[in-house]
Amino acid sequence: SQTIHQWPATLVQPVGSPLSLECTVEGTSNPNLYWYRQAAGRGLQLLFYSVGIGQISSEVPQNLSASRPQDRQFILSSKKLLLSDSGFYLCAWSRQVGNQPQHFGDGTRLSIL
Amino acid sequence: QQQVKQSPQSLIVQKGGISIINCAYENTAFDYFPWYQQFPGKGPALLIAIRPDVSEKKEGRFTISFNKSAKQFSLHIMDSQPGDSATYFCAATARQLTFGSGTQLTVLP
C-alpha cells in the first residue's frame, strides 16, 4: 500500500530564517506530488505541483519554492520566511493529474515568530 | 474567484440524525468531485467521490448526490455519530483540485 510522510510535524521559526519541509511517498512510482497551504478554518490552497523529477509548476507567486530531487521526494523551501508564511502545509500525491484522488500527508504546522 | 462554494460553514447534529453539506460549482470542465474528512491536526482523508455521469453514490452511511444541470452536489451522512465530528471539504477537479471552504460538523452524543 502507498504511504506519504511529512516532517517535521510542527515547526517554529523566526522571521527571516530559511525553511525546508520534506515529503516522501512510498509504495508507488512516478506519482504526481502537490504542496498545499491551509489557513486556519479555511480550505486548501494549491502552492506547487510536480509531474516528475525536476518538473515544478507554481500556482501562486510567493515567498516559497519547491523542488523534486527524486521520484518520490518533494521539498518545500524558503530563503527568508515572512510572518504571512505561517500555516498548515500539506503534501499530497496522486497517480496522475486530473480526475484522480489525491492522498494527503498529516501536514506540518509552521509558526513564524 | 471561488469556484466551489460550500455551505453551511458549521453544522450541529444530534447523534443518529442526518448531516447534509452542500456544494455548488461554476466550472463545467470539472469532472471529478471528491469529499474529504479532516480531523484536527491531520491531513484531509478521502471519504467518497463521484464522477458526473452518475447522480448518486453510496458508501456505508455516506452518500453523494449529484445534480449536473444545477451544478450542485451534496454529502449526506446518515445515522451521524460523535466520531463523525470533523471538518468536511468538498472539492472538484479539471486538472487540479479546487476545494470548498469546509464545514465543521459536530455530532452531539
Side-chain angles (χ1 to χ4, degrees):
Chain A
S1 63
Q2 300 83 19
T3 56
I4 180 168
H5 303 280
Q6 281 188 249
W7 66 93
T10 60
L11 187 61
V12 180
Q13 291 284 97
V15 170
S17 64
L19 173 72
S20 180
L21 302 181
E22 190 164 343
C23 170
T24 60
V25 180
E26 297 177 356
T28 188
S29 297
N30 196 29
N32 292 299
L33 298 172
Y34 309 84
W35 279 111
Y36 289 86
R37 178 167 55 203
Q38 185 177 28
R42 302 283 298 277
L44 282 74
Q45 179 187 36
L46 179 64
L47 302 176
F48 302 94
Y49 70 93
S50 172
V51 299
I53 296 174
Q55 301 179 63
I56 308 295
S57 297
S58 174
E59 292 293 302
V60 181
Q62 57 209 311
N63 185 42
L64 302 170
S65 62
S67 62
R68 185 170 176 174
Q70 299 180 41
D71 180 46
R72 290 169 288 176
Q73 183 184 31
F74 205 23
I75 297 172
L76 183 68
S77 303
S78 174
K79 292 182 179 178
K80 283 187 176 182
L81 285 167
L82 307 172
L83 283 174
S84 58
D85 292 324
S86 293
F88 191 42
Y89 288 84
L90 291 154
C91 181
W93 74 272
S94 69
R95 294 194 187 281
Q96 62 188 60
V97 175
N99 58 359
Q100 294 291 322
Q102 291 185 17
H103 305 280
F104 288 82
D106 278 339
T108 294
R109 176 74 60 192
L110 175 63
S111 299
I112 310 301
L113 303 178
Chain B
Q1 179 185 6
Q2 185 181 4
Q3 295 193 56
V4 179
K5 295 183 179 180
Q6 183 171 347
S7 63
Q9 185 174 3
S10 62
L11 179 63
I12 299 175
V13 174
Q14 292 287 339
K15 178 182 177 181
I18 302 174
S19 304
I20 301 174
I21 304 170
N22 300 298
C23 285
Y25 63 96
E26 301 167 2
N27 187 349
T28 55
F30 288 147
D31 59 0
Y32 179 70
F33 300 87
W35 285 87
Y36 286 85
Q37 179 188 56
Q38 185 178 28
F39 293 103
K42 296 293 186 180
L46 181 65
L47 190 61
I48 186 173
I50 197 168
R51 300 186 191 277
D53 53 345
V54 298
S55 60
E56 185 175 282
K57 184 174 182 180
K58 183 177 181 179
E59 291 183 0
R61 296 185 293 109
F62 300 91
T63 299
I64 300 178
S65 297
F66 186 82
N67 186 329
K68 188 174 180 179
S69 61
K71 293 187 284 187
Q72 295 175 346
F73 58 111
S74 59
L75 176 69
H76 295 233
I77 306 174
M78 311 299 289
D79 187 26
S80 299
Q81 299 296 313
D84 297 330
S85 297
T87 301
Y88 292 81
F89 292 94
C90 63
T93 185
R95 278 187 59 81
Q96 302 300 345
L97 271 180
T98 299
F99 283 84
S101 55
T103 296
Q104 187 169 353
L105 171 66
T106 302
V107 181
L108 300 176

